[in-house]
Amino acid sequence: MMIQVLDQNTINQIAAGEVIERPAAVVKELVENAIDSGANAVTVEIKEGGIRFIRITDNGCGIRHEEIPLAFERHATSKIAGIEDLLRVKSLGFRGEALSSIAAVSQVELITKEAGAILGSRYEIQGGTEMAKDQIGCPDGTTFIVRNLFYNTPARGKFLKTKTTEGNYVNDVVVHFILSHPEIRFKFIWDGRTKIQTSGNGNVKDNIYNQFGADITKALLPVDLEKHGMKVTGFIGKPELSRSFMNYYINGRYIKSPVVQKAIESAYTGFTMTNRFPFTTLFLDIDGSLLDVNVHPSKMEVRFTNQEDVYDLFETGLHEVLKQAVLIPKVTLSDGAKRTAGEKKEKKQQIPPPVPASPEPFETARIRQEQAAQKKTVQEQASSALKAADQKPAAGHLVPIERYEQQTMPQDELLKEDNSVSFRLIGQVFGTYWLAEWNDELLIIDQHAAHEKVLYEQLVHELDTNHVYSQNLLTPIVLTLTHREKEVLQTYRETFVKLGFEIDDFGGDEYAIKAVPSHFLHLASKQLFYSILDELLENPMASRYGSITDRCASIACKAAVKGNHTLSFAEAETLFMQMLQAKEPYHCPHGRPTTVSMSKQEFEKKFKRIV
């Protein structure tokens, strides 16, 4: 077989395959160029999922008439001048491959004009071949129209999904841009209908609200962290959010990083259940010299030179944000269970909704008093806000309150030892849950999760103070380990010692456990040891980055009182008081809630005392 040099057209199409995989990739590259051009308004329009038509319009700096053909050459860029510039890339695009790759596999029309120029330019290029170039009248900025993607490479077009699926990919790309650049006005039009439109007011939370709704937005916790010369801002969701949307942006660029993703997941350890992923919108500002964004043609991956510091910033900082918030889920006596998107829908007979009942006559006076008091409180709050701002309200108007503001209860008002006198323990139901009354709330406590949390924090405290106590076994437990198990044991032997195990070599592949943690002497020590060893085997990433306290969760779970186990009132009261002394009593170490609450108002609604 002879070696030959490929022609330029083939080279361009191969390069296009690395950068342009689908319509969403075209939109990503062109919007990045629009942002880099200084635009503060960008419109994205697609038809048929972007396969047949894509239009990107911006009000940026435009392109000079004489430089237009050069812009479509490979590796032609205004973003960098030499190799040293790669160490401090601040623009979103920099390789100069986007336009040449797009033009190689589609029919492109460009309309552009620099600010102050008398005329603009119109340029056509199809399959990498220039078709037309002339001057026309047009507004400042740039418009790219991309038609018939992969028209000259039909084999590649066969790998595209349906028009709806491809359109959804484009929608996701636009959402990433509106979150990472809230200062820009974005408009997204899909088959003639406006799907997204933002104000460009710079408020990330407004854009989250517009895309995900009030339920998501009101369950967000603000993040503002600074450490190791880096800064992280944005929002993370409370653990009870069932919607996963783990996104993070580095220097304004939507990116993927195993280090950051693992750090975020680790930060939620103890707050969410296994295999549940959080809702995050986070922004990392970092010195460009500390990262390499030139890892992949699509610029979706990044490498850090200080990955341990990055991990620590996210993991420690986000975990602290979660610890400082009250995280007791509210429950309601709903008439029907909500189905998740993945559940099978069953056909149900349509039943007319019941006519709301009027409140009892003896409740009417009390309701009126409560409504009058509530109205007075709102008016007083509005008056105080106006005085603080030194403004006078127009007659008949109150100060508006944003309906999606975070409603987080101060942590010192709930589940604290000082408030124990306010609780009244009622009893146990289903052999697993305890009911307690606190002010106008009914608390429902999972005895296993609560006990697990108490044991976990006791063990962590002993580890932190170097006071873990071991209990010698009358008869050592002899174990036979595989080669991999022996390797893990040798690597993390100090971890087992700190947890309270005493393990000696017994010759060959055998080891003898001579002592176990004293708190958990009643457990099957052999199974407990193997469960920790298996966890280290299955999750080496967690072993590398996690702390020794991660192993405590397994021990506490196995030692805690189980469900369907009847406790006496005295035992329950002791457990409840211990839970009130915990640093973070709201979740067990595996993320399940220890407590949920139901308000008195919810009961009164269901019994039609209020409407």
Side-chain angles (χ1 to χ4, degrees), residues 146-206:
V146 179
R147 296 182 175 91
N148 301 319
L149 187 63
F150 301 136
Y151 80 102
N152 56 349
T153 54
R156 188 170 296 162
K158 292 179 181 179
F159 288 94
L160 295 177
K161 307 297 183 182
T162 65
K163 294 182 290 186
T164 299
T165 300
E166 294 298 339
N168 284 329
Y169 284 133
V170 174
N171 185 90
D172 292 343
V173 168
V174 176
V175 169
H176 289 311
F177 280 120
I178 71 171
L179 294 178
S180 58
H181 292 84
E183 75 285 356
I184 296 177
R185 298 193 309 276
F186 282 98
K187 186 175 184 180
F188 175 45
I189 304 170
W190 184 350
D191 287 339
R193 298 179 60 187
T194 299
K195 294 290 188 179
I196 297 175
Q197 188 161 5
T198 66
S199 64
N201 65 359
N203 192 323
V204 177
K205 200 169 186 181
D206 282 354

Side-chain angles (χ1 to χ4, degrees), residues 115-402:
I118 299 175
L119 292 174
S121 303
R122 178 181 174 276
Y123 184 77
E124 282 190 61
I125 182 170
Q126 298 183 7
T129 302
E130 181 180 306
M131 306 299 291
K133 180 187 178 187
D134 47 45
Q135 291 187 307
I136 61 171
C138 63
D140 294 348
T142 301
T143 294
F144 278 96
I145 299 175
V146 179
R147 296 182 175 91
N148 301 319
L149 187 63
F150 301 136
Y151 80 102
N152 56 349
T153 54
R156 188 170 296 162
K158 292 179 181 179
F159 288 94
L160 295 177
K161 307 297 183 182
T162 65
K163 294 182 290 186
T164 299
T165 300
E166 294 298 339
N168 284 329
Y169 284 133
V170 174
N171 185 90
D172 292 343
V173 168
V174 176
V175 169
H176 289 311
F177 280 120
I178 71 171
L179 294 178
S180 58
H181 292 84
E183 75 285 356
I184 296 177
R185 298 193 309 276
F186 282 98
K187 186 175 184 180
F188 175 45
I189 304 170
W190 184 350
D191 287 339
R193 298 179 60 187
T194 299
K195 294 290 188 179
I196 297 175
Q197 188 161 5
T198 66
S199 64
N201 65 359
N203 192 323
V204 177
K205 200 169 186 181
D206 282 354
N207 289 349
I208 294 176
Y209 175 78
N210 290 332
Q211 289 304 305
F212 301 100
D215 289 343
I216 293 289
T217 310
K218 68 184 180 183
L220 297 179
L221 301 172
V223 174
D224 191 354
L225 309 169
E226 197 160 359
K227 194 176 183 182
H228 305 306
M230 300 173 289
K231 186 173 184 179
V232 173
T233 57
F235 299 92
I236 59 175
K238 287 186 175 182
E240 66 262 25
L241 282 181
S242 59
R243 190 164 183 180
S244 173
F245 186 79
M246 192 192 300
N247 288 272
Y248 38 90
Y249 305 87
I250 300 176
N251 292 350
R253 184 193 306 275
Y254 173 63
I255 212 77
K256 290 294 183 184
S257 164
V259 173
V260 174
Q261 180 158 334
K262 179 59 190 173
I264 295 174
E265 292 175 7
S266 181
Y268 272 81
T269 299
F271 294 99
T272 57
M273 298 175 63
T274 305
N275 298 324
R276 289 281 299 275
F277 299 99
F279 185 102
T280 67
T281 299
L282 297 169
F283 308 92
L284 171 64
D285 289 326
I286 183 174
D287 186 341
S289 64
L290 297 176
L291 53 86
D292 179 10
V293 295
N294 198 29
V295 178
H296 189 272
S298 66
K299 305 185 294 295
M300 281 291 292
E301 299 175 20
V302 67
R303 280 195 295 252
F304 298 96
T305 60
N306 61 335
Q307 65 177 17
E308 289 80 9
D309 289 344
V310 171
Y311 183 92
D312 179 62
L313 172 64
F314 279 91
E315 195 273 342
T316 305
L318 298 185
H319 193 79
E320 193 62 30
V321 171
L322 291 167
K323 284 174 60 178
Q324 291 176 1
V326 171
L327 303 172
I328 295 184
K330 292 279 186 180
V331 296
T332 60
L333 293 168
S334 58
D335 292 325
K338 293 182 179 179
R339 290 180 172 84
T340 59
E343 292 178 334
K344 184 179 181 180
K345 295 184 178 179
E346 298 179 355
K347 294 183 179 179
K348 299 181 68 176
Q349 182 180 0
Q350 297 296 322
I351 302 174
V355 178
S358 300
E360 294 289 344
F362 59 83
E363 293 291 327
T364 304
R366 179 182 63 81
I367 292 171
R368 287 174 179 169
Q369 291 175 354
E370 290 181 352
Q371 289 175 341
Q374 185 178 14
K375 182 177 180 181
K376 182 179 178 181
T377 301
V378 172
Q379 290 173 336
E380 290 174 350
Q381 291 175 344
S383 177
S384 300
L386 286 170
K387 289 178 180 178
D390 195 23
Q391 296 177 348
K392 293 183 179 180
H397 290 277
L398 295 174
V399 175
I401 300 174
E402 290 184 347

Side-chain angles (χ1 to χ4, degrees), residues 458-459 461-470 498 518-519:
Q458 286 177 352
L459 185 54
H461 175 72
E462 291 179 0
L463 285 168
D464 291 342
T465 57
N466 293 317
H467 286 108
V468 175
Y469 297 99
S470 297
K498 288 184 177 179
S518 58
H519 279 302

